[in-house]
PDB file of all heavy atoms in Angstrom:
ATOM      1  N   PHE I 103     -62.218  -2.274   7.218  1.00  0.00           N
ATOM      2  CA  PHE I 103     -62.999  -3.493   7.028  1.00  0.00           C
ATOM      3  C   PHE I 103     -63.658  -3.750   8.376  1.00  0.00           C
ATOM      4  O   PHE I 103     -62.986  -4.268   9.278  1.00  0.00           O
ATOM      5  CB  PHE I 103     -62.118  -4.677   6.657  1.00  0.00           C
ATOM      6  CG  PHE I 103     -61.406  -4.506   5.339  1.00  0.00           C
ATOM      7  CD1 PHE I 103     -60.056  -4.181   5.308  1.00  0.00           C
ATOM      8  CD2 PHE I 103     -62.077  -4.671   4.142  1.00  0.00           C
ATOM      9  CE1 PHE I 103     -59.396  -4.031   4.097  1.00  0.00           C
ATOM     10  CE2 PHE I 103     -61.422  -4.523   2.931  1.00  0.00           C
ATOM     11  CZ  PHE I 103     -60.078  -4.199   2.910  1.00  0.00           C
ATOM     12  N   ALA I 108     -57.467  -0.751   7.803  1.00  0.00           N
ATOM     13  CA  ALA I 108     -56.368  -1.250   6.959  1.00  0.00           C
ATOM     14  C   ALA I 108     -55.477  -0.106   6.479  1.00  0.00           C
ATOM     15  O   ALA I 108     -54.276  -0.287   6.305  1.00  0.00           O
ATOM     16  CB  ALA I 108     -56.935  -2.014   5.770  1.00  0.00           C
ATOM     17  N   PRO I 127     -44.085  -4.263   6.163  1.00  0.00           N
ATOM     18  CA  PRO I 127     -44.141  -5.633   6.686  1.00  0.00           C
ATOM     19  C   PRO I 127     -45.521  -6.272   6.470  1.00  0.00           C
ATOM     20  O   PRO I 127     -46.445  -5.599   6.014  1.00  0.00           O
ATOM     21  CB  PRO I 127     -43.876  -5.448   8.194  1.00  0.00           C
ATOM     22  CG  PRO I 127     -43.373  -4.061   8.365  1.00  0.00           C
ATOM     23  CD  PRO I 127     -43.902  -3.263   7.212  1.00  0.00           C
ATOM     24  N   ASN I 128     -45.660  -7.535   6.832  1.00  0.00           N
ATOM     25  CA  ASN I 128     -46.942  -8.244   6.711  1.00  0.00           C
ATOM     26  C   ASN I 128     -48.076  -7.472   7.360  1.00  0.00           C
ATOM     27  O   ASN I 128     -47.935  -6.975   8.470  1.00  0.00           O
ATOM     28  CB  ASN I 128     -46.868  -9.599   7.434  1.00  0.00           C
ATOM     29  CG  ASN I 128     -46.222 -10.638   6.560  1.00  0.00           C
ATOM     30  OD1 ASN I 128     -46.358 -10.589   5.337  1.00  0.00           O
ATOM     31  ND2 ASN I 128     -45.501 -11.559   7.185  1.00  0.00           N
ATOM     32  N   GLY I 129     -49.189  -7.404   6.652  1.00  0.00           N
ATOM     33  CA  GLY I 129     -50.382  -6.774   7.223  1.00  0.00           C
ATOM     34  C   GLY I 129     -50.316  -5.270   7.309  1.00  0.00           C
ATOM     35  O   GLY I 129     -51.180  -4.629   7.925  1.00  0.00           O
ATOM     36  N   ALA I 130     -49.311  -4.656   6.660  1.00  0.00           N
ATOM     37  CA  ALA I 130     -49.136  -3.197   6.744  1.00  0.00           C
ATOM     38  C   ALA I 130     -50.251  -2.439   6.029  1.00  0.00           C
ATOM     39  O   ALA I 130     -50.518  -1.271   6.339  1.00  0.00           O
ATOM     40  CB  ALA I 130     -47.787  -2.802   6.133  1.00  0.00           C
ATOM     41  N   GLY I 131     -50.888  -3.109   5.041  1.00  0.00           N
ATOM     42  CA  GLY I 131     -51.951  -2.447   4.287  1.00  0.00           C
ATOM     43  C   GLY I 131     -51.605  -2.216   2.821  1.00  0.00           C
ATOM     44  O   GLY I 131     -52.318  -1.510   2.105  1.00  0.00           O
ATOM     45  N   LYS I 132     -50.526  -2.859   2.339  1.00  0.00           N
ATOM     46  CA  LYS I 132     -50.064  -2.645   0.964  1.00  0.00           C
ATOM     47  C   LYS I 132     -51.101  -3.113  -0.076  1.00  0.00           C
ATOM     48  O   LYS I 132     -51.416  -2.375  -0.998  1.00  0.00           O
ATOM     49  CB  LYS I 132     -48.743  -3.396   0.712  1.00  0.00           C
ATOM     50  CG  LYS I 132     -47.635  -3.053   1.675  1.00  0.00           C
ATOM     51  CD  LYS I 132     -46.394  -3.864   1.379  1.00  0.00           C
ATOM     52  CE  LYS I 132     -46.561  -5.362   1.560  1.00  0.00           C
ATOM     53  NZ  LYS I 132     -46.777  -5.809   2.955  1.00  0.00           N
ATOM     54  N   SER I 133     -51.597  -4.348   0.109  1.00  0.00           N
ATOM     55  CA  SER I 133     -52.566  -4.869  -0.869  1.00  0.00           C
ATOM     56  C   SER I 133     -53.815  -4.018  -0.863  1.00  0.00           C
ATOM     57  O   SER I 133     -54.394  -3.737  -1.923  1.00  0.00           O
ATOM     58  CB  SER I 133     -52.961  -6.313  -0.539  1.00  0.00           C
ATOM     59  OG  SER I 133     -51.840  -7.121  -0.554  1.00  0.00           O
ATOM     60  N   SER I 134     -54.230  -3.601   0.327  1.00  0.00           N
ATOM     61  CA  SER I 134     -55.419  -2.740   0.415  1.00  0.00           C
ATOM     62  C   SER I 134     -55.175  -1.462  -0.373  1.00  0.00           C
ATOM     63  O   SER I 134     -56.048  -0.999  -1.110  1.00  0.00           O
ATOM     64  CB  SER I 134     -55.727  -2.404   1.879  1.00  0.00           C
ATOM     65  OG  SER I 134     -55.926  -3.586   2.620  1.00  0.00           O
ATOM     66  N   TYR I 143     -61.184  -1.268  -4.407  1.00  0.00           N
ATOM     67  CA  TYR I 143     -61.752  -0.829  -3.123  1.00  0.00           C
ATOM     68  C   TYR I 143     -61.992   0.669  -3.185  1.00  0.00           C
ATOM     69  O   TYR I 143     -61.195   1.402  -3.784  1.00  0.00           O
ATOM     70  CB  TYR I 143     -60.765  -1.078  -1.971  1.00  0.00           C
ATOM     71  CG  TYR I 143     -60.561  -2.519  -1.580  1.00  0.00           C
ATOM     72  CD1 TYR I 143     -59.415  -2.886  -0.855  1.00  0.00           C
ATOM     73  CD2 TYR I 143     -61.471  -3.514  -1.902  1.00  0.00           C
ATOM     74  CE1 TYR I 143     -59.196  -4.203  -0.479  1.00  0.00           C
ATOM     75  CE2 TYR I 143     -61.256  -4.829  -1.534  1.00  0.00           C
ATOM     76  CZ  TYR I 143     -60.114  -5.168  -0.830  1.00  0.00           C
ATOM     77  OH  TYR I 143     -59.899  -6.471  -0.458  1.00  0.00           O
ATOM     78  N   GLU I 267     -46.751  -7.531  -5.752  1.00  0.00           N
ATOM     79  CA  GLU I 267     -45.649  -8.417  -5.338  1.00  0.00           C
ATOM     80  C   GLU I 267     -45.061  -9.196  -6.528  1.00  0.00           C
ATOM     81  O   GLU I 267     -45.114 -10.430  -6.560  1.00  0.00           O
ATOM     82  CB  GLU I 267     -46.111  -9.368  -4.230  1.00  0.00           C
ATOM     83  CG  GLU I 267     -46.622  -8.608  -3.015  1.00  0.00           C
ATOM     84  CD  GLU I 267     -46.289  -9.266  -1.689  1.00  0.00           C
ATOM     85  OE1 GLU I 267     -45.415 -10.153  -1.682  1.00  0.00           O
ATOM     86  OE2 GLU I 267     -46.892  -8.884  -0.690  1.00  0.00           O
ATOM     87  N   HIS I 300     -43.023  -6.913  -0.457  1.00  0.00           N
ATOM     88  CA  HIS I 300     -42.774  -7.231   0.931  1.00  0.00           C
ATOM     89  C   HIS I 300     -41.287  -7.093   1.220  1.00  0.00           C
ATOM     90  O   HIS I 300     -40.856  -6.611   2.251  1.00  0.00           O
ATOM     91  CB  HIS I 300     -43.244  -8.671   1.152  1.00  0.00           C
ATOM     92  CG  HIS I 300     -43.200  -9.096   2.554  1.00  0.00           C
ATOM     93  ND1 HIS I 300     -42.278  -9.964   3.029  1.00  0.00           N
ATOM     94  CD2 HIS I 300     -43.955  -8.733   3.595  1.00  0.00           C
ATOM     95  CE1 HIS I 300     -42.472 -10.132   4.315  1.00  0.00           C
ATOM     96  NE2 HIS I 300     -43.474  -9.398   4.689  1.00  0.00           N
TER      97      HIS I 300
HETATM   98  N1  ATP H 570     -61.032  -8.090   2.720  1.00  0.00           N
HETATM   99  C1  ATP H 570     -60.625  -7.887   3.980  1.00  0.00           C
HETATM  100  N2  ATP H 570     -61.482  -8.057   5.013  1.00  0.00           N
HETATM  101  C2  ATP H 570     -61.098  -7.836   6.285  1.00  0.00           C
HETATM  102  N3  ATP H 570     -59.852  -7.436   6.654  1.00  0.00           N
HETATM  103  C3  ATP H 570     -58.972  -7.257   5.663  1.00  0.00           C
HETATM  104  C4  ATP H 570     -59.291  -7.470   4.291  1.00  0.00           C
HETATM  105  N4  ATP H 570     -58.191  -7.206   3.536  1.00  0.00           N
HETATM  106  C5  ATP H 570     -57.222  -6.853   4.395  1.00  0.00           C
HETATM  107  N5  ATP H 570     -57.684  -6.876   5.670  1.00  0.00           N
HETATM  108  C6  ATP H 570     -56.912  -6.523   6.866  1.00  0.00           C
HETATM  109  O1  ATP H 570     -56.335  -5.254   6.628  1.00  0.00           O
HETATM  110  C7  ATP H 570     -54.992  -5.223   7.129  1.00  0.00           C
HETATM  111  C8  ATP H 570     -54.029  -4.912   5.996  1.00  0.00           C
HETATM  112  O2  ATP H 570     -53.989  -6.027   5.110  1.00  0.00           O
HETATM  113  P1  ATP H 570     -53.264  -6.015   3.688  1.00  0.00           P
HETATM  114  O3  ATP H 570     -53.512  -7.351   3.061  1.00  0.00           O
HETATM  115  O4  ATP H 570     -53.666  -4.816   2.945  1.00  0.00           O
HETATM  116  O5  ATP H 570     -51.744  -5.894   4.146  1.00  0.00           O
HETATM  117  P2  ATP H 570     -50.414  -6.243   3.320  1.00  0.00           P
HETATM  118  O6  ATP H 570     -49.420  -5.222   3.709  1.00  0.00           O
HETATM  119  O7  ATP H 570     -50.729  -6.376   1.882  1.00  0.00           O
HETATM  120  O8  ATP H 570     -50.005  -7.647   3.922  1.00  0.00           O
HETATM  121  P3  ATP H 570     -49.152  -8.870   3.266  1.00  0.00           P
HETATM  122  O9  ATP H 570     -47.766  -8.376   3.012  1.00  0.00           O
HETATM  123  O10 ATP H 570     -49.186  -9.900   4.344  1.00  0.00           O
HETATM  124  O11 ATP H 570     -49.864  -9.289   2.007  1.00  0.00           O
HETATM  125  C9  ATP H 570     -54.749  -6.564   7.787  1.00  0.00           C
HETATM  126  O12 ATP H 570     -55.031  -6.441   9.165  1.00  0.00           O
HETATM  127  C10 ATP H 570     -55.758  -7.473   7.124  1.00  0.00           C
HETATM  128  O13 ATP H 570     -56.134  -8.537   7.977  1.00  0.00           O
END
Side-chain angles (χ1 to χ4, degrees):
F103 297 104
N128 278 328
K132 304 178 296 293
S133 300
S134 302
Y143 289 160
E267 302 216 16
H300 187 253

